[in-house]
């Protein structure tokens, strides 16, 4: 390069001096940035205020939220609680000394599921009653004694006494097996079959005893007392047969209130007016 040109460029560079470049955000960009920062601070303050308000309203504490308390043994609810969806828990119990209430507008259903998630035992309490479903139902006392048991094969009542307080008594469509039937004190005992036969059977005997009253047996047609190998005994100070038929008597014979009991060949009994001799043969027209 010629010396004149180099000197000229040196002169121009020296006359212009150093250039200054401004670094930063200026103008409308700076104002927008400040506006967004201010808006973000306002949102943070509002969010913080809402969070504090929610914590205050919901009663959030270190131990839990509201009536819900977190303890070492699980969760504890104080007061009334509502569950809008299914509740899964291993154990539900009330506070010591306080009752546990389960309340629902429709029904309360308790299900026990098997491995296939199908109910095997179910308890439903509805407005129309209580329904229980399962293979076996047992009621046990505090001492471990079986009070009641029911399954498909039998129903067992293990209490010392079974009381039926209904006005119509107890109805058994099939047979009844029991070693003892007794009425309440000062009450009557009545065994009745309104439309069919009433049968009492026992391999070693049947005893009917009325210690402080009478014993009455009545029927519409025949009353039979059968003894295959033994005998029939009537033990009483007075034995009355007021409805026995009376045989014919002779008008010439003196009238008296003394009769003799006669037996026909068929076993039928009738009365004949007593005389000096037996009058059964003279009045055997009843046996015809």
């Amino acid at each position: 390069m010629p010396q004149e040109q180099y000197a000229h460029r040196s002169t121009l560079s020296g006359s212009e001096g150093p250039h200054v470049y401004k670094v930063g955000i200026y103008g409308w960009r700076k104002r927008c940035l400040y506006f967004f920062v201010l808006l973000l601070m306002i949102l943070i303050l509002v969010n913080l205020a809402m969070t504090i308000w929610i914590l205050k309203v919901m009663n959030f504490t270190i131990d839990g939220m509201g009536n819900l308390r977190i303890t070492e043994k699980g969760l504890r609810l104080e007061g009334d609680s509502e569950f809008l969806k299914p509740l899964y828990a291993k154990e539900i119990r009330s506070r010591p000394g306080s009752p546990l209430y389960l309340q629902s507008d429709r029904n309360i259903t308790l299900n026990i599921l098997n491995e296939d998630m199908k109910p095997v035992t179910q308890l439903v309490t509805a407005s129309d009653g209580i329904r229980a479903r399962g293979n076996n139902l047992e009621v046990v006392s505090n001492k471990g004694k079986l009070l009641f048991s029911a399954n498909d094969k039998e129903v067992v009542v293990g209490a010392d006494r079974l009381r039926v307080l209904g006005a119509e008594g107890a109805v058994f469509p099939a047979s009844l097996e029991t070693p003892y039937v007794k009425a309440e004190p000062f009450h009557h005992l009545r065994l009745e079959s309104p439309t069919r036969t009433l049968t009492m059977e026992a391999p070693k005997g049947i005893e009917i005893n009325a210690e402080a009253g009478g014993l009455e047996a009545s029927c519409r047609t025949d009353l039979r007392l059968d003894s295959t190998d033994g005998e029939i005994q009537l033990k009483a100070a007075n034995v009355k047969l007021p409805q026995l038929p009376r045989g014919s008597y002779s008008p010439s014979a003196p009238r008296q209130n003394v009769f003799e009991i006669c037996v026909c060949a068929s076993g039928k009994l009738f009365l004949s007016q007593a005389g000096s001799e037996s009058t059964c043969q003279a009045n055997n027209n009843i046996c015809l």
Side-chain angles (χ1 to χ4, degrees):
M1 179 181 294
Q3 186 176 2
E4 291 82 6
Q5 293 181 1
Y6 179 78
H8 180 68
R9 288 188 177 182
S10 300
T11 305
L12 291 175
S13 300
S15 62
E16 291 179 1
H19 293 278
V20 179
Y21 297 97
K22 297 181 179 180
V23 179
I25 301 175
Y26 298 93
W28 63 273
R29 294 184 180 87
K30 184 177 180 180
R31 290 191 295 270
C32 290
L33 179 61
Y34 288 161
F35 174 75
F36 283 119
V37 172
L38 181 60
L39 181 61
L40 182 60
M41 292 179 63
I42 293 174
L43 292 178
I44 292 174
L45 293 177
V46 172
N47 190 12
L48 182 60
M50 292 294 294
T51 303
I52 296 175
W53 180 77
I54 292 174
L55 293 176
K56 184 66 176 179
V57 172
M58 300 300 294
N59 194 16
F60 276 96
T61 60
I62 300 176
D63 298 331
M65 176 188 69
N67 295 331
L68 180 64
R69 294 290 182 266
I70 301 175
T71 62
E72 296 179 356
K73 298 181 180 180
L75 300 178
R76 186 182 67 188
L77 290 174
E78 298 178 356
D80 298 336
S81 302
E82 296 182 4
F83 300 94
L84 303 179
K85 292 186 178 182
L87 173 64
Y88 300 93
K90 181 179 180 181
E91 181 181 359
I92 299 177
R93 63 180 181 179
S94 64
R95 297 177 58 185
S98 299
L100 176 63
Y101 295 98
L102 300 178
Q103 182 176 353
S104 174
D105 294 336
R106 298 294 179 88
N107 57 17
I108 297 177
T109 304
L110 301 178
N111 292 328
I112 306 298
L113 307 179
N114 57 9
E115 297 177 355
D116 299 331
M117 301 304 292
K118 294 182 179 180
V120 293
T121 303
Q122 186 180 64
L123 177 63
V124 180
T125 57
S127 58
D128 56 348
I130 300 176
R131 297 187 300 272
R133 186 182 71 177
N135 297 327
N136 190 20
L137 175 63
E138 291 186 357
V139 179
V140 183
S141 65
N142 294 331
K143 298 180 180 180
K145 181 180 179 181
L146 180 64
L147 300 179
F148 180 83
S149 175
N151 52 35
D152 295 339
K153 297 181 180 180
E154 62 180 1
V155 176
V156 179
V157 179
D160 297 335
R161 177 180 298 180
L162 174 63
R163 300 181 60 185
V164 180
L165 302 180
E168 299 295 332
V171 179
F172 300 94
S175 62
L176 172 64
E177 297 182 5
T178 176
Y180 191 50
V181 179
K182 180 181 179 181
E184 288 290 332
F186 308 104
H187 290 79
H188 299 290
L189 174 63
R190 183 175 181 180
L191 303 178
E192 181 183 10
S193 178
T195 58
R196 293 295 184 268
T197 304
L198 177 61
T199 304
M200 292 187 292
E201 297 179 355
K204 293 185 178 181
I206 297 177
E207 180 180 354
I208 302 177
N209 185 18
E211 296 180 356
L215 177 63
E216 179 181 354
S218 62
C219 62
R220 183 177 179 86
T221 56
D222 298 334
L223 177 61
R224 299 179 57 183
L225 300 176
D226 296 336
S227 178
T228 303
D229 299 330
E231 59 185 10
I232 298 176
Q233 298 182 4
L234 299 177
K235 296 182 180 180
N238 297 317
V239 178
K240 296 182 179 180
L241 302 173
Q243 299 296 329
L244 288 180
R246 297 183 181 182
S248 61
Y249 60 92
S250 175
S252 60
R255 299 292 301 273
Q256 56 184 355
N257 293 328
V258 179
F259 298 88
E260 60 177 324
I261 299 177
C262 304
V263 182
C264 301
S266 61
K268 183 178 181 180
L269 301 179
F270 67 94
L271 299 178
S272 179
Q273 189 172 1
S276 58
E277 297 180 357
S278 177
T279 58
C280 292
Q281 186 176 2
N283 296 283
N284 60 359
N285 57 343
I286 297 178
C287 299
L288 299 178

